[in-house]
Amino acid sequence: MIDSLENPNSSAIFYEDRLVYACLSDYPLTKGHSLVVWKKPVTDLHLLSPKDFEYLMGIVDKTRNALMKVLKVEKVYLMYMDEVKHVHWHLIPRYNKFGFNLLKHNPKKLKSYKLAGDLR
């Protein structure tokens, strides 16, 4: 159960420009679990130029703020994992689970992308 980074569901995308896109996760850990994905094939964060890294993190920050506002949560966890060898961040809204307990969920396929419209 892995999100498709190269061919995301267009209904899931709520932000896109020439360098990045932000979308809802296909297999969310919590409601609103989103990804911010670098479009070009870059295998690890350290390979981005400082300018590109700063740009990416600016979009991550804006996405986090949008999630907090729309979902009315106080915390959104940022998680970077590079198992798929493609630079992307997971943004996971925190509701009533703390720390690593959040990762114990068994994610199921997202059925509705309505939230993407709210986040646009």
Side-chain angles (χ1 to χ4, degrees):
M1 291 185 287
I2 291 180
D3 291 291
S4 174
L5 300 179
E6 294 184 18
N7 295 308
N9 182 321
S10 62
S11 299
I13 296 173
F14 55 86
Y15 175 81
E16 185 170 20
D17 64 28
R18 65 182 186 82
L19 297 175
V20 301
Y21 68 86
C23 67
L24 295 174
S25 173
D26 287 331
Y27 292 91
L29 291 172
T30 65
K31 179 182 177 183
H33 176 176
S34 299
L35 299 121
V36 174
V37 180
W38 192 254
K39 286 184 172 182
K40 290 181 182 175
V42 177
T43 59
D44 195 76
L45 278 176
H46 79 278
L47 298 172
L48 290 175
S49 70
K51 180 181 174 184
D52 286 345
F53 178 80
E54 185 176 329
Y55 184 82
L56 172 64
M57 295 313 294
I59 300 301
V60 167
D61 187 52
K62 289 176 183 178
T63 302
R64 183 194 63 225
N65 291 343
L67 288 166
M68 291 171 68
K69 181 179 179 182
V70 169
L71 297 171
K72 297 177 178 30
V73 294
E74 293 183 17
K75 179 71 83 175
V76 174
Y77 290 127
L78 303 180
M79 187 167 42
Y80 176 77
M81 299 178 348
D82 66 356
E83 282 81 10
V84 296
K85 304 293 185 217
H86 191 122
V87 169
H88 68 287
W89 282 93
H90 289 261
L91 288 82
I92 306 168
R94 184 183 84 188
Y95 295 95
N96 60 356
K97 299 282 183 181
F98 292 91
F100 292 110
N101 290 331
L102 182 72
L103 300 176
K104 294 180 182 177
H105 290 269
N106 184 16
K108 295 188 177 22
K109 177 77 172 143
L110 187 65
K111 293 180 182 177
S112 170
Y113 295 99
K114 179 188 175 305
L115 181 60
D118 297 339
L119 290 166
R120 275 188 207 103

